[in-house]
Amino acid sequence: MKTLFFGSKLIPMTEESVIEISKWEYEKPFDVYSFNGRANSYLMDKSIWGKELFCLSKENKVLGQVSCQFEGNDLWVGWSLAPELCGCGNGTAFVERCVEELKIIKNYTGKILLRVVAWNQRAIKAYQNAGFVYVETIQDEVAYSNHTEDFLVMELTN
């Protein structure tokens, strides 16, 4: 699976990539992450393209979407793998490639954290395989849903 992401690069969002990503729909129960039909002002904010928002691209194909924000000295990350690549064993290689690229782009060697909804065992397994470990459980809103869930906070250990 690593070959799928070999040669891929994180590049700033573009209007074309945002249009493509905004059409993404995931199967149930992962449809809470679907972009299609949901207003997403963060994704559409051109002022953060290439600063906080990137797409993982290879040969003009968008493989995933990546966001990152600093909170103090910590880098918080979030990402979405293209729906057609989900559930096929691509998650760990995707996460590893995104982390590798973010470290280069942000020139960052510090703490990297993420949060993941507690029921998403598929993502949790990919994160664990990529070197993330559980830190704590928090309550937070599923993006743009007005629905609160338990989320695991995870930290990269390698």
Side-chain angles (χ1 to χ4, degrees), residues 129-144:
N129 289 340
F132 283 85
V133 297
Y134 171 82
V135 174
E136 67 178 330
T137 301
I138 61 170
Q139 286 273 303
D140 205 354
E141 179 185 326
V142 176
Y144 302 98

Side-chain angles (χ1 to χ4, degrees), residues 17-24 34-38 43-44:
S17 59
V18 168
I19 289 169
E20 181 177 339
I21 292 166
S22 68
K23 295 177 184 174
W24 285 358
S34 293
F35 289 94
N36 194 13
R38 291 194 170 102
L43 187 64
M44 303 299 186

Side-chain angles (χ1 to χ4, degrees), residues 120-135:
N120 192 345
Q121 292 302 307
R122 186 168 77 181
I124 292 166
K125 181 179 174 186
Y127 300 149
Q128 289 171 330
N129 289 340
F132 283 85
V133 297
Y134 171 82
V135 174

